[in-house]
Amino acid sequence: MESQQVSFRVAKDDLAHAVTWVARSLPNRVTQPVLRAIVITADDNGLEFAGFDYEVSTKVRISAEVIEPGRIAVAGKLIAEITNTLPNKPVEISLDGSKVELRCGSSRFELPQIPLDDYPQLPTLPEVTGSIDPQLFTRATTQVASAAGKDDTLPMLTGVNMEITGRRLRLVATDRFRLAVRNLEWKPVSESITAKLLIPAKTLLENARSVDPHLTDPVELAVGTGDEVGADGLFGVHAENRETTTRLLDAEFPNIQPLLPKVHNAIATVEIAPLQEAIRRVSLVTERNSQIRMRFTAEELTLSAGGSDAGHAEETLPCAFRGRDEMVIAFNPAYLKDGLSVIDTDRVVFGFVESSRPAILLPEPEELPEQTEDGTYATPDTDFLYLLMPVRLPG
Amino acid sequence: MESQQVSFRVAKDDLAHAVTWVARSLPNRVTQPVLRAIVITADDNGLEFAGFDYEVSTKVRISAEVIEPGRIAVAGKLIAEITNTLPNKPVEISLDGSKVELRCGSSRFELPQIPLDDYPQLPTLPEVTGSIDPQLFTRATTQVASAAGKDDTLPMLTGVNMEITGRRLRLVATDRFRLAVRNLEWKPVSESITAKLLIPAKTLLENARSVDPHLTDPVELAVGTGDEVGADGLFGVHAENRETTTRLLDAEFPNIQPLLPKVHNAIATVEIAPLQEAIRRVSLVTERNSQIRMRFTAEELTLSAGGSDAGHAEETLPCAFRGRDEMVIAFNPAYLKDGLSVIDTDRVVFGFVESSRPAILLPEPEELPEQTEDGTYATPDTDFLYLLMPVRLPG
């Protein structure tokens, strides 16, 4: 039974932020037209806007002057578009028969009401499992999600694997060509909590990106507590006035531990900004997804790309290289750029086993490891690691 | 016979501006690979960069330190991309066997030389016919080109018709749904010159947009003088260090004079900025290319769009309307927006005959015409006119 009278007045900017955010996670093409809806609930506490497509649910609360409480639904992307073009004046929304009327200044819109009879039950946020610094959540998610797969035929690789062990969180993603690992701390509600969750990378990244960069309150992550961890098959995020839930991927994430090299035969450090510039330039003569070659010597890194037919490019950069006289290795330039773009220090550390084996990229630690007696280097202890498969060198 | 030794040094920004500009008019897909080339000529006066696709030719001169004069050609879009990513250091380009070598800072590129044997003869600029203020040229072209057709099966409508009568220039374009006319003054080399030219709108607009907005020297237009006017079938523009030629369209532009209403039964003036905002909002509930309706009464303009099913929008705006009690007329919102966006005054003047006949849009003149004894209004004397076909009102 829906109320037949709904009426409220709300500040234009508050309305615009709320509907824009909910509309963004609504699907572009829907199998059920009702899923195009934003459901607006007006009650004594203000307004709640909600959207759901059976995978992702979003909910945001804002304050408003509610004249008649009730519940209505309208096409989400349309009301978001309309609201964003309105002048900065109070917006009045009310139900008028089967139409939703929106007034603002000299503008008046009549939008068809979407019947709520077929609208699915919105999932509720699982019990809050712990909280995390908002900027850290955004940054760590962005770092790892860059390595996740986009191929839906390999669903386990389209997720970010989150491993919770008390105060430690570990995020991992891989598309088989590169792998990103981020270790970080958070505040669990119980120190004894352990969980493994495979969260769709795309949604997690959207969650992280929609966190207000100036937010100071911690972000709450919710997968349940005690025996209820993961019981709903949902991952929930609560940041400020916003809540989202995402259905977990029902797949086994591969065991990545054996893939990580424990020791390196050579290590190099290079300043990231000029390296990115150089990669960008030499990539111009590569064919799509083709390789760029890196030749490390004691103090110089030479990048090269292209062949003799299509053009050839070469760049030299200073570097610090130890462990071998030289190392020649080739990478997919896009994957290399992805890795460099999520390392936060000024310089990157490369660790090499040999040209045909995966290399690691790390943020520069306080101290580089010393060469051990057998001539190798241990992996420096950093909170982020990007493993990158090389491509075969020509000839 | 091409020189086998070419070598020069040039400032990075000068090179980037020159090759970017020439590359922009090179075709994306070429039937003859040689047309991908930028031809670089190094001589005692510096460098000349040229491109040509049999329709449009471009040529730009810049100063440089020429060590060995000569002529080379390289892939235009590639050298433009490369140059735009280079650090801000001098660039050295030289011919090395069959390769063109480009060095800048620690970057080195080898680009295949494109053989010049098959390269077509570049057209020469016709004799300069007159000159025009650069900002006026850009503005007038932009105003008129918005109404030109994009349908290549109606080639005469894809052009801007330029009519020269001594000191007067008249630019006209139409796609049958709207028509734009701009009258302006220029400085012909001879007061007795007359000519009619049909210039491809797309190229003329590119010419106009590439004129440096801070340029103070007049732009020279070239179609020949005396008996030679139009003899080459080319339209040439010379602005600063740049020259372009465009092949004229070989088609008859329709006679537009009978289309222009001489008198109006009603006129209205409306402030443009709020009208554009209102159109933008009500358009959100229209289907693609559908209509928005305008109802003018003495002091109020009501815009509306949409039907009862898909949503409905209404906006009211102040206006000054004379000649009738009311006028209801409907337009394609995109064409209406195009017209409003090229009118330079704060308010637009609408002139109406009746709902089913084309309306005119004009910049607001110093004085509006008075109603004549037969109850009509003459067209105010303005330098720009936009004629817009109405769409049929529902029911």
Side-chain angles (χ1 to χ4, degrees), chain A residues 264-313:
Chain A
H264 311 279
N265 293 321
I267 57 173
T269 70
V270 189
E271 201 183 335
I272 292 177
L275 177 57
Q276 287 173 313
E277 279 298 298
I279 293 170
R280 188 173 156 221
R281 283 193 290 268
V282 302
S283 301
L284 293 173
V285 298
T286 63
E287 295 293 306
R288 200 176 166 76
N289 283 330
S290 149
Q291 63 179 243
I292 70 166
R293 295 174 291 281
M294 301 178 96
R295 179 168 173 269
F296 292 87
T297 58
E299 295 186 344
E300 202 169 76
L301 162 61
T302 306
L303 295 181
S304 63
S308 52
D309 284 351
H312 177 83

Side-chain angles (χ1 to χ4, degrees), chain A residues 318-395:
Chain A
C319 80
F321 178 70
R322 302 189 211 159
R324 289 268 174 97
D325 287 342
E326 79 164 32
M327 164 70 66
V328 180
I329 191 164
F331 296 111
N332 172 307
Y335 297 163
L336 179 58
K337 278 190 276 188
D338 282 350
L340 293 171
S341 73
V342 290
I343 289 178
D344 292 333
T345 48
D346 288 344
R347 296 174 72 85
V348 57
V349 176
F350 287 91
F352 301 108
V353 178
E354 52 181 287
S355 296
S356 59
R357 299 283 302 279
I360 58 163
L361 280 69
L362 303 172
E364 189 178 40
E366 301 259 317
E367 267 184 82
L368 284 176
E370 292 297 319
Q371 197 167 24
T372 58
E373 280 180 17
D374 65 356
T376 63
Y377 299 85
T379 303
D381 188 24
T382 55
D383 58 13
F384 180 68
L385 180 151
Y386 189 86
L387 186 80
L388 181 56
M389 289 292 290
V391 294
R392 194 190 293 262
L393 287 161

Side-chain angles (χ1 to χ4, degrees), chain B residues 356-372:
Chain B
S356 59
R357 297 284 301 281
I360 59 163
L361 281 69
L362 302 172
E364 189 178 39
E366 302 258 317
E367 266 183 84
L368 284 177
E370 293 297 319
Q371 196 167 25
T372 57

Side-chain angles (χ1 to χ4, degrees), chain B residues 216-232:
Chain B
T216 48
D217 290 342
V219 170
E220 291 179 332
L221 307 185
V223 287
T225 58
D227 293 343
E228 298 298 316
V229 169
D232 300 337

Side-chain angles (χ1 to χ4, degrees), chain A residues 78 81-87 99 104 106-112 277 280-282 284-285 307-317, chain B residues 78 81-87 99 104 106-112 277 280-282 284-285 307-317:
Chain A
L78 179 60
E81 279 182 340
I82 288 173
T83 309
N84 280 302
T85 63
L86 291 175
K99 301 284 178 197
C104 177
S106 60
S107 307
R108 198 177 75 83
F109 286 85
E110 273 178 20
L111 305 175
E277 279 298 298
R280 188 173 156 221
R281 283 193 290 268
V282 302
L284 293 173
V285 298
S308 52
D309 284 351
H312 177 83
E314 214 172 276
E315 293 268 343
T316 51
L317 296 159
Chain B
L78 179 60
E81 279 182 341
I82 289 172
T83 310
N84 280 302
T85 63
L86 290 175
K99 301 284 178 198
C104 176
S106 60
S107 308
R108 198 176 75 82
F109 286 84
E110 273 179 21
L111 306 175
E277 279 298 298
R280 189 172 154 220
R281 283 193 290 268
V282 301
L284 293 173
V285 298
S308 52
D309 284 350
H312 177 84
E314 214 173 275
E315 293 268 344
T316 51
L317 295 159

